[in-house]
Amino acid sequence: MEDVMMKTVTNLMAKSPEHLSPIGAGVLVAAHFGVSSDSRSCASKLGVAHALVLRECVMLAEEHQLISLENREERSQRLFYSLTAQGHDLLAKVH
């Protein structure tokens, strides 16, 4: 499964280089495959700082409308999210 996900991230970056960082692509692919739906577990799976994933989630939601922010835990700042229709469409093109 990990190989399929990495290939999908690579394909996504090739198709949408203008607005997706590698971390942003990882967030989208993790949501698409059901690996994570929150920023803390996604950061852990990607092996990056939670703050970097938080920043990407906000950008993916507010600037690109590829994810929808569902909830935020006040104490940990963990964001829960899901793909929007636009996010699903983008992933369908590359997967």
Side-chain angles (χ1 to χ4, degrees), residues 16-34:
S16 303
E18 68 279 354
H19 67 270
L20 282 180
S21 71
I23 294 173
V27 168
L28 294 174
V29 171
H32 176 72
F33 284 104

Side-chain angles (χ1 to χ4, degrees), residues 50-70:
H50 183 225
L52 296 174
V53 174
L54 284 173
R55 181 173 40 195
E56 290 297 322
C57 286
V58 170
M59 188 167 40
L60 290 170
E62 294 179 1
E63 293 181 27
H64 306 298
Q65 293 78 44
L66 296 173
I67 63 171
S68 173
L69 301 179
E70 309 293 332

